[in-house]
Amino acid sequence: MKVGAVVITMGNRPEELRALLDSVAKQDGDRVEVVVVGNGAPVPEVPDGVRTVELPENLGIPGGRNVGIEAFGPGGSDVDVLLFLDDDGLLARTDTAELCREAFAADDELGIISFRIADPDTGETQRRHVPRLRASDPMRSSRVTTFLGGANAVRTRVLTQVGGLPDAFFYAHEETDLAWRALDAGWMIDYRSDMVLNHPTTAPSRHAVYHRMVARNRVWLARRNLPALLVPVYLGVWMALTLLRRPSRPALKAWFGGFREGWATPCGPRRPMRWRTVWRLTRLGRPPVI
């Protein structure tokens, strides 16, 4: 299988980007072709053979990654598998690309693989980086219902069939949108603890737009993908969880502003998943109301 990699950068982490690209170059087996997308910023110096695309404006995470996908042909069709890697991450092992090839070759239903993210100093994997409800054991691999945006591998046939990431989301929940569409099309998603991306421990709330985007995109996600009966249940559960976490007053104000925005603005095409997919998600341990 031919493997490519997409990395988006704001140009502000040149040393980390170079270390990531070096770790990709060291992968066992056939060479992994890499495209680095400068998302509204110049791309720092990269090794020979690495292709670059510089965008005049920041299109957000999904928009930037979609540009990287198309750099490999329509829907990424010039390769069989695409790795999506954060520019401040580092592939911890040299066999990750080979493990991806083996996993996809062995399982025709497998569409997406979510890697384990580990802090390079402590080896710790944050609970939020284990894409399932039972997240206490990050070393257990399993089927899951979503994946991690900056540490994953996608069979490009999935992108050809169901489309790429939702550009308008800009940041937050774009992976779950793609995951639900892939699952509805019959693909499966695996979390693999042996495929590791080293990445410094961070809090998602470091982004100024975090609370607004999370709320707005949660509404868009439900409106786009869920059967009508489940939309109020899903959003009601997430509103209750948000209130139970007792965010600060400014954070809560931003969250409710994003929630209102999610209802008041277009969310893109609505393609509700089949009830068979709802049952599949439930059997996998995460019904689409949580």
Side-chain angles (χ1 to χ4, degrees):
M1 286 189 170
K2 295 176 64 176
V3 178
V6 173
V7 180
I8 59 173
T9 183
M10 299 293 292
N12 56 350
R13 294 189 281 232
E15 294 181 2
E16 293 90 338
L17 174 63
R18 185 59 183 251
L20 169 66
L21 296 176
D22 288 345
S23 74
V24 175
K26 293 175 183 175
Q27 291 298 298
D28 301 335
D30 293 341
R31 177 176 174 270
V32 177
E33 186 178 352
V34 182
V35 170
V36 177
V37 178
N39 212 356
V43 176
E45 183 179 353
V46 296
D48 292 341
V50 173
R51 290 189 288 157
T52 62
V53 179
E54 293 187 353
L55 302 176
E57 62 177 309
N58 182 357
L59 299 182
I61 294 173
R65 287 186 176 139
N66 283 337
V67 170
I69 291 169
E70 295 302 308
F72 288 96
S77 55
D78 291 347
V79 294
D80 302 297
V81 174
L82 278 175
L83 311 180
F84 294 89
L85 306 170
D86 275 351
D87 67 341
D88 56 344
L90 183 78
L91 290 175
R93 297 167 44 157
T94 62
D95 63 349
T96 302
E98 278 289 88
L99 289 173
C100 287
R101 292 185 183 100
E102 292 169 4
F104 285 118
D107 186 351
D108 289 338
E109 291 186 334
L110 181 60
I112 302 172
I113 299 173
S114 188
F115 300 168
R116 180 168 64 89
I117 294 179
D119 184 275
D121 297 322
T122 66
E124 177 189 0
T125 296
Q126 295 177 272
R127 287 183 65 93
R128 70 184 183 90
H129 284 154
V130 182
R132 59 175 179 244
L133 292 179
R134 297 176 181 176
S136 59
D137 182 7
M139 301 307 294
R140 179 173 67 87
S141 299
S142 69
R143 294 283 202 201
V144 289
T145 60
T146 189
F147 63 98
L148 308 173
N152 66 80
V154 179
R155 193 193 295 266
T156 54
R157 283 168 50 202
V158 174
L159 302 172
T160 301
Q161 182 177 0
V162 307
L165 297 157
D167 287 346
F169 278 43
F170 198 85
Y171 164 78
H173 303 318
E174 67 272 6
E175 302 92 352
T176 300
D177 187 89
L178 176 56
W180 283 0
R181 285 182 282 126
L183 288 162
D184 196 48
W187 297 100
M188 300 300 290
I189 306 170
D190 278 357
Y191 165 73
R192 288 283 297 266
S193 64
D194 57 337
M195 301 182 189
V196 182
L197 185 85
N198 283 343
H199 188 283
T201 298
T202 57
S205 55
R206 70 190 186 280
H207 298 290
V209 297
Y210 171 76
H211 296 286
R212 170 180 157 253
M213 292 289 195
V214 162
R216 183 197 70 180
N217 292 359
R218 184 80 71 183
V219 176
W220 281 358
L221 180 70
R223 290 175 59 197
R224 285 164 58 93
N225 295 288
L226 290 180
L229 287 175
L230 295 185
V231 171
V233 179
Y234 177 81
L235 295 176
V237 167
W238 278 106
M239 180 179 289
L241 287 173
T242 299
L243 294 174
L244 286 172
R245 290 168 179 165
R246 301 174 66 87
S248 67
R249 185 179 294 273
L252 195 60
K253 182 179 179 181
W255 192 93
F256 274 106
F259 191 84
R260 287 192 296 271
E261 184 182 350
W263 285 107
T265 54
C267 64
R270 173 168 164 76
R271 299 187 181 94
M273 65 178 66
R274 295 167 294 179
W275 284 102
R276 182 170 65 183
T277 304
V278 173
W279 175 236
R280 171 185 280 191
L281 288 161
T282 304
R283 289 177 59 193
L284 289 170
R286 190 159 196 159
V289 293
I290 301 176

